Amino acid sequence: MTEGYVCLILHAHLPFIRHPEHPWFLEERWLFEAINDCYLPLLDVLDGLARDGVRTRLTLSLTPTLMAGLDDEHLRDRFAAHLRDLVELARKEEDRTRHSEYHHLAQFYAHRFSRHLASYEGRGRDLVSAFARHQDEGRLEILASAATHAYLPLLGSEQAARAQVITGVEAYRRRLGRSPRGFWLPECGYRPGLDHFLAEAGVEYVILETHGVTHAVPRPRYGYLAPITMPAGVKAFGRDPESSKQVWSADEGYPGDPWYRDYYRDIGFDLDYDYVRPHLGPPGQRLCTGFKYHRITHRRSEHKELYQPHAAWERAVVHAGNFVFNRAKQVEWHRGHMDRLPFLVCPYDAELFGHWWFEGPWWLDQVVRMLQNHPVLEPATCGDYLDRYPKNQRCQPSLSSWGCRGYSEVWLEGSNDWLHRHLHVAARRMEELARHFERPSYLERRALNQAARELMLAQASDWAFILKTGTFPGYARRRFKGHIAGFLELYHGLKRGTLDEARVVTLENQTPLLHHVDYQVFRPGEAARAAGS
């Protein structure tokens, strides 16, 4: 007899990075690694579950910038070339290791990368449609998200937050051919009032960090074990902290197990430079190739044992069993105190599965299979739960986010606080343009829409996050400043009547995404006035 539900949510997001002006661009590899390590393996898991008739109810968010990257023909061509290069390197590795203990791992990667290349081409290079098919067939519930993954609580403008929500939901409708039920708030960032924009966009529910729900007013009767209804009618689900720690934590969680693959040991750094040089790109700098032959072993030791895929798979099975066992004990404990079945929301970054935690897709596959006909637990999406329990306690959630300390600190601290004054001024100027240009000419409309696009791209939470972590800060600064400069150039050209059509076209060509952006979304609407009151 079912005693409670488990909702596994994978949040898939990357910023839109595309640089055809360069023959090779390092940051484009973020997408290539995510496809190779995460998205293709996840699709293989879903295909296998479908083939075996396993009842599957998973949730996946696909942000507009990620979908644009996956759909871009330039990036598709470059990724296919990247895979072909890995296949070539795999053949070299098979020859190099033929008489060594590494040979079986070289064969493992040769098979893996060849299979991925065949899978990518076999899907017509269209991964968004592959995920959409699983939604259409009932295995996935895909969430919408903000247009450029902006951190909504800090945008400093009701209209800017509304524009991100409305534009993001419209991107989902246009690409997936249906309206979303749920919406992934970037970084789980919420502040009171955002629910009015979500309701205006037709969103039914969002996911909040645990304390966003447990600190709501009045205090929710069931804490994070059931959704609450926000003032505008949108439902909010809270993250289950116990399941999060078991999967997220590198020290206490499953990914740190010494039998799992070590992400940081890679032949791109370990082998002779001249040997790996042809596979490092034109700059020739050492970087990860994806060929990793060692397991974590002892985290603080330089010595690493040889990776053993089958042993790692067995550990993934054990950890999947542990996860399901603990979730069953949770719902059994809480069931007697509720008038409904408890609902455990388990959200994770999708890129954890396969990229940082190589065995993550194996683990996920086993969890779903173990939930099949489980005596206590049942897999479900947030939409499934709302279908069963449509009426929920009305509360006002608190300001909250995930990340360090849980109250926006990651996106507003010493390394990145300077971004926000520029974003706030630009948002006010965008609203000024939206009010002023009621009947723009054809060129003015294109410039207005491009100005909105530049502002939204500058608002992406990725730039503040990268500056905080210190990874690739130069690129983050260049992207942010470039989009702000593009916005200001268009703003002044519109205000002064000095638009240069060739320049507008250039900016459009540099940002081939969100083609449906309408600058008028920055005009105050009823929801914006309600949120600001």
Side-chain angles (χ1 to χ4, degrees), residues 136-451:
D136 295 340
E137 294 175 0
R139 284 175 287 278
L140 271 185
E141 188 166 300
I142 300 179
L143 308 182
S145 191
T148 60
H149 206 261
Y151 186 69
L152 302 179
L154 297 180
L155 292 186
S157 160
E158 299 298 331
Q159 285 69 43
R162 175 175 178 265
Q164 281 280 345
V165 171
I166 298 297
T167 305
V169 169
E170 182 60 21
Y172 181 105
R173 291 193 183 109
R174 286 171 178 260
R175 183 59 182 88
L176 299 179
R178 60 164 71 187
S179 294
R181 297 190 68 177
F183 186 97
W184 181 267
L185 291 168
E187 321 297 358
C188 288
Y190 175 80
R191 63 164 173 76
L194 289 179
D195 48 308
H196 292 279
F197 311 135
L198 296 161
E200 180 186 2
V203 170
E204 292 183 46
Y205 69 85
V206 296
I207 315 301
L208 302 186
E209 181 54 282
T210 311
H211 57 276
V213 171
T214 57
H215 293 180
V217 179
R219 287 292 178 93
R221 182 182 309 166
Y222 303 126
Y224 59 83
L225 297 167
I228 58 175
T229 301
M230 296 188 283
V234 179
K235 308 300 189 295
F237 290 81
R239 174 160 74 154
D240 169 41
E242 291 187 40
S243 61
S244 294
K245 182 180 292 186
Q246 286 184 312
V247 176
W248 272 111
S249 174
D251 296 317
E252 302 174 56
Y254 307 133
D257 189 275
W259 284 98
Y260 287 152
R261 193 184 76 162
D262 192 321
Y263 172 81
Y264 295 99
R265 284 293 299 272
D266 188 283
I267 68 169
F269 296 94
D270 288 350
L271 296 187
D272 179 76
Y273 176 75
D274 289 335
Y275 175 79
V276 296
R277 170 67 182 82
H279 307 280
L280 300 178
Q285 63 201 79
R286 286 190 179 268
L287 45 77
C288 286
T289 63
F291 288 79
K292 305 172 193 295
Y293 293 152
H294 298 86
R295 58 186 177 94
I296 293 171
T297 320
H298 304 291
R299 295 184 61 83
R300 292 174 176 82
S301 171
E302 290 296 321
H303 173 71
K304 301 295 180 183
E305 297 287 344
L306 199 66
Y307 180 60
Q308 301 178 36
H310 184 71
W313 180 84
E314 290 179 334
R315 292 300 292 164
V317 174
V318 170
H319 287 149
N322 177 263
F323 181 86
V324 173
F325 173 83
N326 286 324
R327 302 293 77 72
K329 291 302 180 183
Q330 269 185 275
V331 301
E332 287 174 343
W333 172 259
H334 292 293
R335 176 67 182 94
H337 310 290
M338 301 175 65
D339 66 355
R340 61 194 62 202
L341 297 183
F343 190 71
L344 302 178
V345 178
C346 312
Y348 312 103
D349 276 340
E351 290 75 24
L352 171 68
F353 292 79
H355 184 64
W356 300 109
W357 181 20
F358 183 72
E359 298 78 11
W362 300 345
W363 175 90
L364 181 67
D365 176 77
Q366 290 300 306
V367 167
V368 175
R369 291 176 187 274
M370 290 176 184
L371 290 174
Q372 175 91 324
N373 301 319
H374 193 278
V376 174
L377 294 172
E378 185 176 328
T381 68
C382 294
D384 296 334
Y385 195 78
L386 292 178
D387 289 340
R388 177 161 185 176
Y389 301 108
K391 294 184 178 180
N392 295 277
Q393 183 181 357
R394 299 189 71 86
C395 305
Q396 173 60 70
S398 72
L399 171 73
S400 55
S401 72
W402 67 5
C404 182
R405 304 179 194 271
Y407 292 100
S408 305
E409 180 177 322
V410 173
W411 302 276
L412 182 63
E413 51 87 56
S415 68
N416 56 34
D417 54 6
W418 60 274
L419 303 176
H420 298 284
R421 63 179 179 270
H422 300 288
L423 291 176
H424 291 189
V425 170
R428 290 196 296 271
R429 290 183 172 182
M430 189 67 235
E431 294 163 25
E432 174 192 342
L433 293 175
R435 289 193 301 269
H436 179 76
F437 285 90
E438 294 187 2
R439 294 182 178 84
S441 67
Y442 174 70
L443 178 58
E444 287 172 337
R445 180 175 294 278
R446 287 176 60 184
L448 288 161
N449 290 341
Q450 183 60 31

